[in-house]
């Protein structure tokens, strides 16, 4: 498969921004805000077409949004844009058109195939395979999808999976000579790949391929029953219990489907096999956090219905566990990603919520190096300095936040409002009026702004 030459084209700042969008999208997906999550994930896949995780999560969110497969042809008019773009022979246009079509129907086989082909042209071969796999999953009997997927799987040495695709083709077209030949070619390549024979032992390789017997489907049991996706992965685990990739695949599958309990079970195994690899521990902690968050929301909803004291107590206990897990995850991320400004910001917010203001200040000062969140960090710094009674520093940071934030930002309103309140407390009524009037031009109905402006006017008259 081709490499990913465009990775270097993504700057560290842009990659960090995409990761922040991805994290936010996951949070929205966990609370079933699928449309909002889709906005985040769409930016991720368009910004980094070579990221497999972005693609899988993008499709998983859409499938959860729609609930079940769309009827064939319902969104066929959207597929036309992908086909038209394909005719233009510009892979970036094909890719974007394909993503647009998939947003409406993640089971659109034509869009999945064309987008995968565009990925190959763009140099993202590994990701292209995932599009082809998704196309086969959407329509297992589609001969063209199986053929394309089989070739791609062969190129990454996923021989058994490629054979399954060829078997589907042969079931649909028993006399397909090309498919039969391709099946034998895969067997030969698999034998070479295993290292049983050197590439020069052509007679032995040919005999080994011929002695394989008829095709045996890896997606069926001994009685010919079709195995489910989960059964297939479990079978792979039984064959090779030390292959960490299979455990990760199942953990991700359950995570994306909101079953954090089962996802946690597999990530525990992943951490064990990886001997505590930091990235695997991070995934486990995140899964545990999501599990607790889901439970908190469920208990809150239950209490609002029943008003039972036992439910209320369990809610607060679980909320405390969630807060601790959230802090544990944030601490882990800071330790292993010391230059990730987004993680410093998240950690700072948690520290601020726990009234550890001095510690939070250090995190926000590190995080503000990221220009995309500079205004938010300056606002948070102003709040923290005000809490530790450093009022002049607080005002300075509010003023800088006001300059850095756009008028459309809710935090701009918040910064202006807090600046008004603090200026009044400092008896700097000129500054209070200045920022109060600025906030009034944006949103006069913000909180008690009208009353504050009246008070400022009275003070200035006295």
């Amino acid at each position: 498969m081709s490499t990913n030459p465009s990775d270097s084209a993504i700057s560290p700042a842009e990659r960090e921004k995409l990761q922040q969008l991805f994290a936010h999208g996951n949070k929205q997906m966990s609370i079933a805000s699928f449309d909002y999550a889709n906005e985040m994930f769409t930016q991720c896949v368009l910004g980094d077409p070579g990221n497999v995780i972005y693609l899988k999560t993008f499709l998983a969110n859409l499938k959860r949004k729609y609930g079940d497969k769309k009827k064939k042809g319902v969104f066929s008019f959207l597929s036309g844009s992908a086909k038209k773009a394909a005719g233009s022979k510009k892979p970036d246009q094909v890719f974007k058109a394909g993503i647009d079509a998939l947003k409406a129907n993640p089971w659109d086989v034509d869009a999945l195939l064309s987008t995968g082909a565009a990925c190959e042209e763009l140099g993202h071969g590994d990701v292209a395979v995932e599009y082809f796999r998704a196309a086969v999953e959407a329509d297992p009997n589609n001969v063209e999808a199986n053929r394309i997927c089989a070739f791609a799987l062969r190129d990454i040495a996923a021989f058994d999976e490629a054979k399954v695709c060829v078997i589907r083709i042969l079931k649909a077209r028993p006399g397909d000579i090309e498919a039969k030949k391709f099946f034998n070619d895969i067997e030969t390549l698999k034998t070479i790949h295993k290292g049983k024979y050197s590439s020069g032992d052509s007679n032995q390789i040919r005999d080994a391929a011929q002695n394989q017997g008829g095709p045996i489907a890896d997606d069926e049991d001994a009685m010919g029953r079709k195995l489910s996706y989960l059964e297939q992965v479990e079978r792979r685990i039984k064959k090779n219990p030390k292959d960490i990739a299979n455990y990760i695949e199942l953990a991700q599958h359950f995570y994306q489907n909101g079953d954090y309990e089962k996802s946690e079970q597999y990530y525990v195994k992943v951490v064990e096999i990886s001997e505590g690899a930091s990235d695997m521990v991070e995934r486990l902690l995140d899964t545990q956090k999501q599990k607790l968050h889901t439970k908190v929301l469920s208990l809150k909803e239950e209490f609002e219905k029943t008003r039972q004291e036992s439910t209320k107590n369990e809610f607060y206990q679980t909320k405390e566990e969630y807060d601790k897990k959230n802090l544990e995850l944030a601490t882990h991320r800071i330790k292993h990603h010391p230059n990730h400004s987004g993680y410093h910001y998240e950690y700072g917010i948690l520290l601020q919520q726990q009234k550890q203001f001095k510690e939070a200040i250090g995190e926000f000062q590190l995080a503000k190096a990221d220009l995309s969140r500079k205004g938010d960090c300056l606002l948070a710094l102003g709040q923290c300095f005000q809490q530790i009674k450093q009022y002049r520093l607080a005002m300075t940071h509010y003023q800088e936040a006001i300059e850095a934030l756009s008028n459309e930002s809710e935090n701009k309103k918040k910064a202006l409002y807090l600046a008004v309140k603090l200026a009044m407390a400092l008896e700097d009524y000129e500054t209070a009026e200045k920022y109060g009037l600025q906030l009034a031009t944006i949103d006069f109905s913000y909180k008690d702004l009208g009353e504050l402006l009246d008070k400022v006017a009275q003070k200035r008259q006295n």
Side-chain angles (χ1 to χ4, degrees):
M1 298 296 290
S2 53
T3 57
N4 186 355
S6 64
D7 272 352
S8 58
I10 303 175
S11 67
E14 180 63 20
R15 190 174 298 284
E16 184 175 317
K17 180 181 177 182
L18 292 173
Q19 192 58 32
Q20 291 164 6
L21 287 169
F22 181 69
H24 190 55
N26 268 301
K27 291 178 182 177
Q28 296 303 314
M29 184 169 68
S30 70
I31 59 174
S33 181
F34 302 124
D35 287 327
Y36 193 15
N38 181 48
E39 293 179 19
M40 305 294 107
F41 295 142
T42 298
Q43 292 183 62
C44 289
V45 292
L46 291 175
D48 188 1
N51 192 306
V52 173
I53 300 299
Y54 287 172
L55 163 64
K56 287 187 172 181
T57 310
F58 167 74
L59 292 176
N61 178 68
L62 288 169
K63 290 173 182 178
R64 289 181 65 185
K65 172 186 174 181
Y66 291 119
D68 56 13
K69 294 188 179 182
K70 299 297 175 182
K71 293 181 180 179
K72 187 175 182 180
V74 170
F75 296 101
S76 58
F77 67 97
L78 289 167
S79 298
S81 61
K83 292 177 181 177
K84 182 178 180 181
S88 70
K89 297 183 180 179
K90 294 182 178 180
D92 55 337
Q93 294 178 0
V94 178
F95 181 78
K96 187 176 185 305
I99 294 300
D100 287 340
L102 292 171
K103 284 161 63 177
N105 180 11
W107 297 277
D108 186 330
V109 174
D110 288 336
L112 288 164
L113 293 178
S114 64
T115 310
C119 270
E120 282 193 317
E121 287 192 59
L122 291 169
H124 309 303
D126 291 342
V127 183
V129 174
E130 298 305 322
Y131 282 101
F132 300 149
R133 280 174 167 149
V136 172
E137 180 188 342
D139 186 359
N141 298 318
N142 188 302
V143 171
E144 184 62 16
N146 277 286
R147 193 182 303 278
I148 291 172
C149 191
F151 276 100
L153 291 166
R154 177 202 62 184
D155 290 346
I156 62 170
F159 301 119
D160 289 337
E161 195 177 349
K163 282 163 56 181
V164 173
C165 290
V166 179
I167 289 167
R168 292 196 192 101
I169 297 172
L170 290 171
K171 285 182 178 179
R173 298 179 180 176
D176 192 322
I177 297 174
E178 181 184 348
K180 290 180 179 179
K181 181 180 181 300
F182 187 55
F183 184 90
N184 288 331
D185 290 343
I186 292 173
E187 285 293 347
T188 301
L189 288 171
K190 180 180 177 181
T191 302
I192 295 173
H193 190 76
K194 283 183 176 180
K196 290 183 177 179
Y197 308 104
S198 67
S199 58
D201 296 332
S202 57
N203 292 332
Q204 287 180 298
I205 293 171
R206 184 180 63 252
D207 292 342
Q210 290 175 348
N211 290 332
Q212 291 293 326
I216 300 174
D218 285 353
D219 63 346
E220 294 180 353
D221 63 14
M223 302 300 293
R225 181 182 66 86
K226 177 77 174 181
L227 296 177
S228 68
Y229 162 75
L230 295 178
E231 288 173 328
Q232 291 179 51
V233 182
E234 289 287 2
R235 173 184 278 188
R236 297 205 302 266
I237 287 175
K238 287 180 180 178
K239 286 183 178 179
N240 190 356
K242 294 185 179 180
D243 187 349
I244 194 172
N246 292 319
Y247 296 100
I248 293 175
E249 183 176 345
L250 282 181
Q252 289 176 332
H253 168 80
F254 287 119
Y255 184 97
Q256 291 169 355
N257 285 282
D259 190 342
Y260 303 114
E261 189 77 40
K262 288 185 178 178
S263 180
E264 179 186 14
Q265 293 173 12
Y266 284 103
Y267 272 132
V268 167
K269 187 66 177 179
V270 167
V271 170
E272 178 187 330
I273 296 175
S274 67
E275 297 181 346
S278 63
D279 56 335
M280 295 300 110
V281 172
E282 181 177 333
R283 292 192 190 190
L284 173 60
L285 292 173
D286 179 59
T287 303
Q288 292 171 333
K289 185 192 84 168
Q290 294 294 347
K291 183 181 74 170
L292 288 167
H293 183 252
T294 301
K295 187 176 180 181
V296 166
L297 294 177
S298 176
L299 288 168
K300 182 176 182 292
E301 183 179 350
E302 183 182 346
F303 175 72
E304 289 172 350
K305 291 179 181 178
T306 64
R307 296 292 173 178
Q308 292 183 354
E309 190 68 21
S310 58
T311 303
K312 179 181 177 181
N313 293 336
E314 188 179 1
F315 167 80
Y316 282 115
Q317 181 181 343
T318 306
K319 179 65 167 58
E320 184 178 351
E321 292 176 14
Y322 168 74
D323 291 339
K324 288 181 179 178
K325 186 61 64 175
N326 210 0
L327 190 61
E328 183 182 359
L329 173 60
T331 305
H332 179 89
R333 283 173 168 167
I334 289 297
K335 178 180 178 181
H336 295 281
H337 308 280
N339 299 319
H340 195 300
S341 61
Y343 291 155
H344 282 290
Y345 178 76
E346 291 177 5
Y347 189 36
I349 292 294
L350 292 175
L351 292 171
Q352 184 182 15
Q353 290 171 348
Q354 295 189 1
K355 303 186 185 306
Q356 298 181 42
F357 301 112
K358 291 183 179 180
E359 293 82 356
I361 286 171
E363 298 303 322
F364 290 132
Q365 287 176 331
L366 289 170
K368 73 176 182 178
D370 179 359
L371 296 179
S372 68
R373 64 173 74 254
K374 182 178 180 180
D376 297 328
C377 288
L378 289 167
L379 171 59
L381 282 165
Q383 292 174 286
C384 289
F385 280 121
Q386 186 169 349
Q387 288 292 333
I388 61 173
K389 304 185 186 307
Q390 295 288 334
Y391 300 121
R392 294 298 174 186
L393 278 172
M395 180 58 78
T396 298
H397 282 86
Y398 287 148
Q399 291 171 332
E400 290 180 4
I402 290 166
E403 292 299 318
L405 293 163
S406 69
N407 286 348
E408 292 75 26
S409 169
E410 279 297 315
N411 274 345
K412 173 76 166 245
K413 299 178 188 179
K414 187 175 183 179
L416 285 165
Y417 181 79
L418 292 175
V420 172
K421 296 276 286 186
L422 180 57
M424 289 185 67
L426 295 173
E427 299 183 353
D428 184 354
Y429 302 118
E430 182 178 352
T431 298
E433 183 179 57
K434 171 187 172 183
Y435 289 124
L437 292 174
Q438 188 174 341
L439 176 55
T441 62
I442 300 173
D443 185 358
F444 184 75
S445 64
Y446 190 84
K447 295 188 176 181
D448 59 342
L449 177 62
E451 295 177 17
L452 286 177
L453 286 173
D454 289 341
K455 289 180 180 178
V456 171
Q458 291 174 7
K459 291 291 185 181
R460 296 204 69 185
Q461 288 175 1
N462 295 334

